Amino acid sequence: MQIRNIAIIAHVDHGKTTLVDKILHATHVFRENQETGELIMDNNDLEKERGITIFSKNAAVEYKDTKINVIDTPGHSDFGGEVERVLKMADGVLLLVDAFEGPMPQTRFVLQKALQLNLKPIVVINKVDKPNCRPDEVHDAVFELFFNLDATEEQLDFPTFYGSGKNGWFNSKNEQCADITPLLDGILQYVPAPKVSEGPLQLQITSLDYSSFLGRIAVGKVTRGSIKEGQSIALVQAGGVIKRSKVKELYTFMGMGKKKAAEVVAGDICAVVGLEDFNIGDTIADAETPEALPVISVDEPTMSMLFGINNSPFFGKDGKFVTSRHLRDRLMKETEKNLALRVEDTDSADSFLVYGRGILHLGILIETMRREGFELTVGQPQVLVKEIDGKKHEPYEILVVDVPAEFSGKVIDMVTQRKGEMLVMESKGEMQHLEFEIPSRGLIGLRSNMLTNTAGEAVMAHRFLEYKPWKGPIPGRNNGVLLSKNQEKTTAYSIDKLQERGTFFVDPGEDVYAGQIIAEHIKPGDLVVNATEGKKLTNMRASGSDDSVRIVPRKQMTLEECMEYIQQDECIEVTPKKIRLRKSILDEEERKRFQKVLKTEEVGR
């Protein structure tokens, strides 16, 4: 049977996972009456809630006596480490582009990786049934993008398909047809069969799977030779270390699952069970003549956060895993499969520095950990600074904002305040398309402000550009916070009296502790308040006054919004049930002493 390996790449929300659904249905992976729902590949709870793909997945379908291995990839640049790895398994890519939005920053990032690996591209222009769509202009923009990325003559001669993933049709003429078979025929026609070189076994591990029955499973593409069940193999690791091992079981992908195989030949993607202590990037090679494949390189992290144990008065109330040993083991386990993540020990035994690709990348890790029952505190995200030629350099990003024309002035003002420089300004229908170059520091906290100032209309996307000289201080949050004075339950009576001082993050009747941030102050500067005082009762009844407590609902913030909100001296307490904001030093007197020490040090400098 012939084999085709294809990865689906696109900007976030351009319809990758929906297209995979249609391919699975068109090739009758499911029974006619089987209930499957939508976005079948996004099977992780977090992916379902957020409607985004975080982990790349494999599926395989059979069409016209050919096995097509389909790899669904994430669209966010924070998960670029995932994409770079899995592209190694593909021989061609389906580049999916929205017929209205056109190529976005993420499209550029992933396409660049695919072209460098010399993969054959097929362009699919999706959502042509949407109003305001402009498929011909988008086609030209995609061609220009290929040209700017130094594509070869052969790559520039890409086939294009038009259609609607949601309605389940694609063809090369931009006319509605019955189904997606023209696209499947196109995959067979344009994507080359896997390149197979002569020689003994070589297979690079490009992703991990885990099963509670079988343990860790290595997934990768056999690049040469063949692998058999029960075969003795050599595992070649970084630094040339060779370990002897044996293949216990072999699986190939079929539909949404795996099926057992006695032998897998070069060109196919398989899962190997029975190896111990392997890492992503290791090579499974022939036991007699072990040869390693080049190690997978992944872009460097651009951001770090301090993870520590939960040391608040409410420590241990919600979580199962609360000690520094639990925290360290969990973070080290994550680095095995999350290639873009790095963990370092600090001077304190209770905290660790975690490096990642961005706020979403680190936020997903924290969210996953709290769901597993961990309690931890995390500090403010910091960008990584490098010394180049004796000068301080920081990461810069390209920021793209699409916003209705009446808000464009506000957006430009906000971005320039954060040291951004405008590169492009053009109209796309009723929307204004803006592109900026901005230090990564300037992006922290920008999204929530931008949505507030544009009535939720702005669409923001950004990607890492390069390291450039340090731009100087960037203004942080303007307002201070209100801090709880004592540890008790909040009362409606107190919150009602304090409402004009700020916007509350807690409801009446909620447990708070001294040093916890309970509201945003309307002015700069922090204020310690008592939100736990009850009303003094007397025998006199004041008619109507007891009913007049009107409390504004609390402001709810997601984990990522909290990460962008906090300042240097603050942190987030994350437990399975609660996310609380707090000062790093809870005691008021101690905080004041620490601030004095900092000021004298600054004067001394």
Side-chain angles (χ1 to χ4, degrees):
M1 186 185 279
Q2 287 200 322
I3 296 170
R4 297 285 185 275
N5 298 317
I6 191 145
I8 299 187
I9 58 176
H11 185 78
V12 63
D13 258 359
H14 279 195
K16 295 182 292 299
T17 309
T18 308
L19 176 61
V20 177
D21 288 1
K22 296 298 179 221
I23 292 176
L24 291 170
H25 283 297
T27 50
H28 307 295
V29 166
F30 305 107
R31 297 190 313 275
E32 291 299 321
N33 59 353
Q34 192 172 343
E35 279 291 318
T36 56
E38 289 186 349
L39 305 178
I40 308 160
M41 295 289 271
D42 286 350
N43 50 13
N44 172 288
D45 288 346
L46 270 175
E47 293 181 316
K48 284 184 176 147
E49 281 169 31
R50 293 169 184 243
I52 59 172
T53 303
I54 298 170
F55 309 104
S56 59
K57 324 258 183 347
N58 297 39
V61 297
E62 278 186 19
Y63 178 71
K64 292 191 177 171
D65 294 333
T66 304
K67 179 180 179 183
I68 303 174
N69 284 311
V70 181
I71 306 159
D72 184 16
T73 62
H76 282 275
S77 57
D78 285 27
F79 309 115
E82 262 313 289
V83 181
E84 286 169 56
R85 284 198 332 243
V86 296
L87 286 180
K88 290 259 181 156
M89 294 196 277
D91 300 296
V93 289
L94 278 188
L95 175 69
L96 206 60
V97 186
D98 186 302
F100 169 68
E101 291 185 352
M104 297 286 279
Q106 207 39 53
T107 323
R108 182 189 186 98
F109 171 82
V110 202
L111 180 62
Q112 189 170 13
K113 300 285 176 202
L115 293 178
Q116 284 166 0
L117 289 168
N118 211 6
L119 303 180
K120 174 73 182 166
I122 295 177
V123 173
V124 180
I125 295 178
N126 193 14
K127 307 189 184 181
V128 296
D129 52 338
K130 272 172 68 172
N132 297 340
C133 69
R134 30 191 207 108
D136 296 335
E137 282 176 52
V138 167
H139 180 268
D140 296 344
V142 172
F143 184 84
E144 205 170 300
L145 176 63
F146 271 80
F147 188 74
N148 292 340
L149 293 175
D150 299 329
T152 61
E153 288 287 326
E154 194 186 345
Q155 287 170 332
L156 281 171
D157 188 23
F158 55 83
T160 309
F161 288 83
Y162 302 87
S164 159
K166 201 171 180 183
N167 297 330
W169 64 271
F170 282 100
N171 64 21
S172 52
K173 297 190 185 72
N174 197 5
E175 294 164 3
Q176 187 153 356
C177 60
D179 53 20
I180 67 164
T181 45
L183 177 61
L184 292 170
D185 290 331
I187 291 173
L188 300 191
Q189 183 184 343
Y190 297 111
V191 176
K195 288 191 190 75
V196 178
S197 44
E198 291 297 312
L201 165 69
Q202 269 188 326
L203 180 157
Q204 188 158 42
I205 301 171
T206 41
S207 62
L208 294 181
D209 211 343
Y210 184 79
S211 144
S212 45
F213 302 110
L214 304 168
R216 290 170 74 216
I217 303 169
V219 179
K221 182 171 98 175
V222 183
T223 42
R224 92 181 179 199
S226 68
I227 185 166
K228 297 184 183 74
E229 197 175 329
Q231 182 178 347
S232 296
I233 51 116
L235 188 67
V236 188
Q237 299 190 303
V241 181
I242 296 176
K243 290 182 179 169
R244 302 287 163 191
S245 195
K246 195 170 186 179
V247 179
K248 276 190 191 157
E249 290 180 2
L250 262 184
Y251 292 88
T252 54
F253 291 89
M254 201 63 246
M256 293 293 301
K258 301 184 185 76
K259 72 170 187 185
K260 222 166 169 182
E263 181 181 15
V264 179
V265 294
D268 205 353
I269 295 172
C270 69
V272 184
V273 177
L275 308 184
E276 287 176 13
D277 296 337
F278 63 83
N279 294 310
I280 287 172
D282 292 352
T283 305
I284 295 175
D286 185 66
E288 307 303 318
T289 51
E291 284 177 62
L293 285 158
V295 179
I296 301 173
S297 63
V298 171
D299 285 359
E300 289 288 299
T302 57
M303 202 167 267
S304 72
M305 279 175 88
L306 197 64
F307 280 48
I309 59 166
N310 182 11
N311 54 5
S312 82
F314 296 162
F315 149 86
K317 278 191 174 179
D318 298 350
K320 287 189 291 192
F321 308 113
V322 293
T323 65
S324 57
R325 184 179 61 81
H326 284 136
L327 187 61
R328 185 195 158 83
D329 291 350
R330 177 66 183 82
L331 290 172
M332 290 307 173
K333 189 177 153 201
E334 186 68 26
T335 54
E336 288 180 1
K337 62 176 188 291
N338 198 333
L339 278 198
L341 199 79
R342 281 215 318 267
V343 178
E344 281 179 15
D345 292 314
T346 60
D347 304 339
S348 155
D350 293 342
S351 53
F352 308 93
L353 255 183
V354 179
Y355 297 90
R357 288 288 278 269
I359 287 210
L360 187 64
H361 185 205
L362 292 165
I364 293 287
L365 169 64
I366 298 165
E367 183 64 47
T368 310
M369 285 173 68
R370 73 180 273 237
R371 288 177 184 214
E372 290 170 7
F374 282 84
E375 281 194 16
L376 63 155
T377 52
V378 290
Q380 187 192 25
Q382 303 286 339
V383 299
L384 298 189
V385 180
K386 282 185 182 176
E387 282 269 323
I388 304 175
D389 302 332
K391 279 188 181 168
K392 204 159 128 183
H393 282 59
E394 64 175 327
Y396 273 66
E397 309 217 6
I398 291 281
L399 168 70
V400 177
V401 186
D402 286 306
V403 67
E406 69 261 31
F407 296 120
S408 58
K410 277 186 182 171
V411 171
I412 294 166
D413 186 40
M414 284 170 66
V415 178
T416 42
Q417 275 178 12
R418 290 163 174 261
K419 303 277 196 279
E421 287 177 24
M422 190 158 75
L423 308 173
V424 178
M425 181 175 183
E426 57 190 28
S427 294
K428 261 194 194 177
E430 294 161 14
M431 304 286 269
Q432 206 69 12
H433 176 79
L434 309 167
E435 287 186 26
F436 303 90
E437 190 178 285
I438 183 172
S440 296
R441 287 180 299 145
L443 287 170
I444 297 175
L446 180 65
R447 186 179 298 269
S448 47
N449 284 354
M450 175 114 38
L451 291 173
T452 310
N453 286 325
T454 60
E457 293 272 357
V459 178
M460 243 177 90
H462 52 89
R463 68 179 171 89
F464 174 68
L465 178 66
E466 59 182 341
Y467 272 83
K468 288 189 164 190
W470 181 262
K471 260 284 177 86
I474 288 177
R477 189 177 72 206
N478 296 328
N479 299 5
V481 289
L482 302 185
L483 300 164
S484 173
K485 187 178 185 179
N486 42 20
Q487 182 175 332
E488 226 177 306
K489 276 188 174 15
T490 53
T491 61
Y493 172 74
S494 294
I495 289 181
D496 181 44
K497 297 283 178 276
L498 290 166
Q499 276 189 130
E500 63 226 30
R501 290 291 178 91
T503 313
F504 271 78
F505 302 142
V506 291
D507 282 325
E510 211 170 294
D511 282 310
V512 294
Y513 52 79
Q516 184 180 334
I517 297 171
I518 54 174
E520 179 173 22
H521 198 183
I522 54 168
K523 297 177 182 168
D526 299 342
L527 198 62
V528 178
V529 296
N530 182 357
T532 61
E533 195 176 18
K535 186 174 182 190
K536 301 288 178 282
L537 298 175
T538 63
N539 285 339
M540 301 292 287
R541 289 242 181 118
S543 68
S545 66
D546 286 357
D547 305 332
S548 63
V549 175
R550 294 270 183 276
I551 291 183
V552 179
R554 71 185 177 101
K555 181 180 179 183
Q556 294 193 349
M557 293 206 285
T558 63
L559 180 60
E560 276 94 36
E561 284 169 341
C562 291
M563 287 159 70
E564 294 190 336
Y565 182 80
I566 58 173
Q567 297 295 300
Q568 192 100 35
D569 62 336
E570 297 163 358
C571 59
I572 311 167
E573 176 190 347
V574 182
T575 73
K577 292 181 187 161
K578 287 275 183 195
I579 294 177
R580 299 183 181 94
L581 301 176
R582 49 165 279 196
K583 288 287 181 186
S584 300
I585 301 170
L586 294 176
D587 184 63
E588 191 185 349
E589 295 305 318
E590 224 177 297
R591 264 201 312 275
K592 285 178 181 165
R593 274 201 298 276
F594 185 68
Q595 290 297 340
K596 272 184 188 164
V597 172
L598 276 184
K599 276 182 183 159
T600 48
E601 278 179 7
E602 277 175 19
V603 171
R605 273 191 217 138

